[in-house]
Amino acid sequence: MPYISLNPATRKTLKTYTSWDSNHLAEALEQAYNAQRNWARTTFAERVERMNCVAKLLHERISEYAALMAAEMGKPVREGHAEIKKCALVCDYYAVHAEHFMGAEVVQTGAGKSYVCYEPLGVVLGVMPWNFPFFQVMRFAAPALMAGNGCVLKHASSVPGCALALEQLFRDAEFPPHLFTTLMIEASDVADVIASHYIQAVTLTGSEPAGREVASHAGQHLKKCVMELGGSDAFVVLKDADLELAASFAVRSRFQNCGQSCIAAKRIIPVAEIADEFVALFIKKAAELKMGDPMDETTQIGPMARLDLREDLHQQVADSIAQGAQPVLGCEPVRGAGAFYPPSALDRVTAKTRAYHEELFGPVAAIIRARDEEEAIRIANDTRFGLGSSIWSRDLDRAEKIAGQIQAGSCFINGMVRSDPRLPFGGTKASGFGRELSYHGIREFVNIKTVWIG
Ligand code: NDP
């Protein structure tokens, strides 16, 4: 099966790539395995030098990579620049801290000496999505490589150009050949890769069905895995919130990357006392977003990444309206060749609608009005997902107490959910398990070894 790179703004084919046969795949896995065994013996100083080189190249190629993402998945170049800068930040972070995070820890046990040390696991398979085609990969690869692991990447089939550019990036930064390899394979080949004795672990960022399948293969072969899956983050607005600020961030959080972010504010939950005022502000600000050509520096909303994703999203919207939700902004696909969907909002979303229960992976906000604070907390938790959440209130003590009641991997107070290399990132419930970033992320794919000396 060929890989087809298609521009979602024009639906023109950009390039066609050939996918690998099983011999090619087997050879690549063996080469990655051999490269990792040598890499595990390198010093941190050597790894730091290579990682700094990746960061430098990312800065130099920022416009090239932003244009590539715009062409393959429709990300506006302005957001593409920010994504590449963030990739460089992750490289910098692990270049500075990896040695410390991987350092041995002495523990007093009554033995002559006892300590815990961290050793690389081997080659890690990353199954990655198209929505942040550079950052999602760098978030797994930078810590894995600094820990002494190797990486093989099965990227989303809609971004083969980005996948190959990433492999080239590591090659140009003079990482050993085959240590980072892009596998040009189908999703159906992933099971064989996990089964291979050359692979020791797998990390996936993507949908819940893909997560279930990949985690079950990892379980079958007893290989460590991390699952970073979907989310339907609550954005709770209490009566004493700064409504102007909250509405601005709600718009930013819901509509960045055309709404295709796992940690977007997908369920906006204002309490009754301020709901009318807040919703009016939110709609006004969302309506001002500029939709258009992702290559244009002023564009804020590009096309969705693929036409089928737009169709799925619109079906969720149409069903939710039929179930009683009120379309108060957008909610109709834009006519024309591109996969454009305008900034949209559904108000009065209730538990009877799809928009309440399902993740809306596109530019549509589900507004769920809560009677009071208590009901807002209940609604925030009334979801199968548990990735991020945010609470908006001027009473920080109260908001912090509420944060303790929210079932999610993160809770931001008066700020939008975002990833930061210094803080762990991941979810609970159907949003997956395991953590990326911070020292938690680098220690996911290591052998935590106890050494005890009598
Ligand atoms: P998928 O989860 O299908 O794709 C993500 C990655 O997983 C891709 O590399 C894909 O490969 C691979 N994959 C898919 N199915 C399997 C499988 N059975 N076994 C092994 N690998 C698999 O995402 P979609 O592109 O279909 O997006 C649909 C939904 O996924 C969205 O609506 C959203 O809910 C969720 N999503 C969440 C993301 C997040 O950041 N948490 C990111 C992207 C999507 P291939 O492309 O070849 O199918």
Side-chain angles (χ1 to χ4, degrees):
M1 282 265 293
Y3 270 95
I4 299 169
S5 171
L6 195 79
N7 185 327
T10 60
R11 288 186 36 222
K12 292 217 167 82
T13 300
L14 297 164
K15 205 168 169 181
T16 307
Y17 303 80
T18 319
S19 59
W20 291 358
D21 61 22
S22 54
N23 290 337
H24 196 156
L25 174 60
E27 191 187 354
L29 296 183
E30 186 177 356
Q31 286 170 330
Y33 176 82
N34 290 332
Q36 188 276 329
R37 282 165 65 103
N38 291 329
W39 180 246
R41 290 193 282 268
T42 53
T43 62
F44 278 99
E46 288 169 80
R47 297 179 202 169
V48 167
E49 202 178 326
R50 300 278 62 82
M51 199 50 74
N52 285 340
C53 192
V54 173
K56 183 169 161 283
L57 289 173
L58 282 163
H59 284 296
E60 283 170 19
R61 299 175 181 179
I62 198 160
S63 298
E64 179 194 334
Y65 292 159
L68 185 55
M69 289 189 278
E72 283 198 323
M73 49 70 68
K75 189 187 298 283
V77 282
R78 199 157 76 162
E79 291 191 18
H81 283 137
E83 177 168 341
I84 301 301
K85 278 187 199 155
K86 204 158 173 183
C87 289
L89 201 66
V90 171
C91 295
D92 292 343
Y93 176 76
Y94 282 109
V96 171
H97 297 287
E99 185 169 9
H100 172 63
F101 293 158
M102 295 284 287
E105 291 161 1
V106 173
V107 182
Q108 303 297 343
T109 60
K113 186 178 177 187
S114 52
Y115 59 92
V116 180
C117 59
Y118 301 95
E119 296 174 350
L121 270 191
V123 180
V124 183
L125 165 66
V127 182
M128 292 291 138
W130 41 265
N131 60 341
F132 290 88
F134 278 77
F135 182 65
Q136 306 277 25
V137 173
M138 207 52 77
R139 193 162 71 178
F140 112 80
L145 293 168
M146 287 306 297
N149 292 311
C151 297
V152 291
L153 168 67
K154 187 275 175 259
H155 216 325
S157 44
S158 52
V159 289
C162 295
L164 291 169
L166 279 154
E167 184 181 56
Q168 188 64 43
L169 170 67
F170 285 101
R171 203 178 297 138
D172 293 346
E174 293 179 25
F175 271 83
H178 314 297
L179 189 67
F180 180 102
T181 304
T182 289
L183 310 173
M184 297 298 276
I185 58 168
E186 317 281 320
S188 54
D189 297 323
V190 166
D192 289 343
V193 178
I194 294 170
S196 164
H197 64 277
Y198 293 127
I199 297 298
Q200 276 68 48
V202 54
T203 178
L204 176 135
T205 302
S207 63
E208 197 187 329
R212 283 184 193 283
E213 178 118 5
V214 168
S216 69
H217 291 302
Q220 202 181 341
H221 295 282
L222 295 178
K223 301 211 174 153
K224 179 76 192 279
C225 68
V226 166
M227 293 290 131
E228 206 278 90
L229 310 178
S232 190
D233 290 5
F235 186 103
V236 176
V237 189
L238 300 181
K239 65 181 180 191
D240 62 351
D242 179 336
L243 297 187
E244 189 68 43
L245 187 76
S248 296
F249 276 102
V251 167
R252 239 174 96 183
S253 176
R254 176 58 286 203
F255 298 110
Q256 72 160 347
N257 206 33
C258 199
Q260 303 163 124
S261 164
C262 49
I263 47 167
K266 300 196 178 104
R267 294 176 302 135
I268 315 274
I269 309 171
V271 295
E273 276 155 292
I274 49 82
D276 285 343
E277 191 185 344
F278 175 79
V279 171
L281 278 168
F282 177 79
I283 292 171
K284 179 173 168 289
K285 289 172 190 289
E288 285 165 5
L289 292 173
K290 186 180 169 219
M291 187 167 65
D293 178 1
M295 290 303 292
D296 182 336
E297 294 277 349
T298 62
T299 293
Q300 291 167 300
I301 302 266
M304 289 185 65
R306 300 191 316 247
L307 207 62
D308 64 301
L309 294 168
R310 182 180 75 164
E311 279 165 15
D312 292 347
L313 178 75
H314 188 57
Q315 194 58 55
Q316 289 173 303
V317 168
D319 289 349
S320 300
I321 293 169
Q323 290 157 339
Q326 291 178 7
V328 287
L329 181 70
C331 292
E332 278 298 332
V334 177
R335 283 168 185 273
F340 288 94
Y341 203 90
S344 302
L346 291 168
D347 197 358
R348 313 240 172 225
V349 167
T350 68
K352 294 194 180 97
T353 64
R354 286 185 73 185
Y356 183 97
H357 299 285
E358 297 176 14
E359 177 180 27
L360 299 180
F361 211 68
V364 182
I367 301 168
I368 309 171
R369 294 173 181 238
R371 211 171 28 247
D372 52 25
E373 189 177 299
E374 198 183 327
E375 195 187 45
I377 299 167
R378 187 190 61 74
I379 294 169
N381 286 329
D382 190 18
T383 169
R384 45 191 288 98
F385 297 105
L387 195 55
S389 59
S390 66
I391 296 165
W392 296 77
S393 167
R394 285 193 173 91
D395 184 341
L396 299 185
D397 289 339
R398 204 167 85 243
E400 216 178 317
K401 283 199 187 89
I402 295 172
Q405 298 172 56
I406 303 284
Q407 300 151 2
S410 68
C411 188
F412 283 58
I413 295 165
N414 297 335
M416 66 183 251
V417 182
R418 60 177 92 192
S419 67
D420 177 323
R422 295 165 294 187
L423 293 168
F425 184 92
T428 57
K429 305 201 281 188
S431 294
F433 48 80
R435 290 293 178 268
E436 296 191 286
L437 301 177
S438 91
Y439 68 84
H440 295 275
I442 196 169
R443 289 184 184 163
E444 286 285 2
F445 297 118
V446 292
N447 175 23
I448 304 173
K449 184 187 270 182
T450 293
V451 178
W452 189 96
I453 304 162

